[in-house]
Amino acid sequence: MLPVFRISRLRFGTDGKGITTLVGLFGCPNQCRYCINYSWFKIKPQNLCIHELYNLVAVDDIYFRITGGGITFGGGEPLLWPEQIIAFAQLVNKKWAINIETSLNVPWENVEKLIPYVDAFIVDIKDMNEDIYLAYTGESGAQVRKNIAQLAQLIPQKIVVRIPFIPEFNASEDIYRSRMAIENMGICSIDVFTYRKCSTEWEKQPQNRHKGNNINA
Ligand code: SF4
């Protein structure tokens, strides 16, 4: 079963090639300061078997096929659910693209086993500096840095790295250093962008910050 909290259809240019459907999976090892999907805390995920999920997303089959798009698993952290995603990918059988939006803060085994089934790993790297990563996410980024280096050795052409400007946590020189580190791994597809800060007092309360689920962050 996959814990799905959100299905967002007909996306273009944000989560992989072509037209995609974003499937948000519940749970995340990080506790990012500006995770904007805090509202999902109040919503229980729907546990779907791969066939139920397939039937829901197949409504856009024609769009996926025409544009080379498909399904993007995001979150939360989709790499907490590698076996289920593999089963779904086998069901799809290369008819649609399968993309993963991830922080990569998971054991390497979770990443490695998905490599044959994934068309693009879209990695929100946060910052390559450990102090910044720890301050922003509440977790160490050591595993992330190991995973991105190993993934880059195997499939650099299938990786897109997003490097955010994180207000109050990093600066342009940090972003430059992260970018250099990523480029030196042989990854060419790099996207620099800015996180939206929490805008309300409610959002800033730790208990209201989600431990998973930020499609944008
Ligand atoms: S879903 Fe993304 S932004 Fe939210 S806590 Fe996890 S890694 Fe951070």
Side-chain angles (χ1 to χ4, degrees):
M1 302 295 267
L2 279 163
V4 177
F5 71 84
R6 181 187 184 195
I7 294 178
S8 176
R9 295 176 52 211
L10 303 177
R11 299 167 71 95
F12 188 74
T14 54
D15 318 298
K17 290 181 184 165
I19 291 176
T20 55
T21 289
L22 181 63
V23 176
L25 303 182
F26 204 79
C28 184
N30 289 341
Q31 303 168 59
C32 297
R33 182 66 178 78
Y34 303 148
C35 184
I36 61 173
N37 287 331
Y38 56 86
S39 58
W40 298 109
F41 248 157
K42 295 180 285 185
I43 299 173
K44 282 194 175 172
Q46 199 182 359
N47 288 312
L48 300 176
C49 75
I50 58 169
H51 298 281
E52 290 169 323
L53 178 62
Y54 182 90
N55 289 337
L56 284 173
V57 296
V59 64
D60 294 317
D61 172 65
I62 187 72
Y63 300 119
F64 300 154
R65 288 180 191 245
I66 287 174
T67 65
I71 306 302
T72 299
F73 289 98
E77 177 48 74
L79 291 182
L80 295 177
W81 312 97
E83 304 297 347
Q84 293 87 338
I85 294 174
I86 288 170
F88 183 84
Q90 287 171 334
L91 182 64
V92 167
N93 196 20
K94 300 195 183 303
K95 189 168 58 166
W96 310 329
I98 301 289
N99 308 310
I100 300 286
E101 274 188 347
T102 175
S103 70
L104 280 188
N105 207 356
V106 295
W108 168 246
E109 305 80 71
N110 294 32
V111 184
E112 185 180 31
K113 61 179 67 167
L114 267 166
I115 289 173
Y117 304 96
V118 169
D119 293 278
F121 284 90
I122 304 165
V123 180
D124 182 356
I125 205 76
K126 317 295 183 196
D127 200 290
M128 293 292 278
N129 178 297
E130 173 66 2
D131 292 340
I132 295 170
Y133 198 99
L134 187 60
Y136 178 65
T137 69
E139 300 292 332
S140 169
Q143 188 64 46
V144 175
R145 295 189 295 277
K146 276 187 208 160
N147 286 343
I148 191 69
Q150 281 187 270
L151 206 53
Q153 283 186 351
L154 296 172
I155 49 161
Q157 75 286 359
K158 287 190 176 183
I159 306 171
V160 178
V161 173
R162 292 177 172 162
I163 306 174
F165 167 56
I166 314 173
E168 298 174 14
F169 288 87
N170 68 1
S172 55
E173 53 269 30
D174 301 309
I175 294 168
Y176 176 78
R177 279 192 282 269
S178 290
R179 183 174 195 130
M180 287 300 103
I182 299 295
E183 283 184 0
N184 287 339
M185 292 177 188
I187 297 170
C188 300
S189 187
I190 298 174
D191 177 26
V192 175
F193 68 108
T194 300
Y195 277 170
R196 182 179 74 87
K197 283 178 64 178
C198 298
S199 56
T200 68
E201 285 308 310
W202 189 90
E203 289 175 62
K204 290 175 183 169
Q205 298 305 311
Q207 70 271 24
N208 295 335
R209 278 186 243 131
H210 187 11
K211 293 195 174 185
N213 315 331
N214 185 352
I215 302 302
N216 300 317

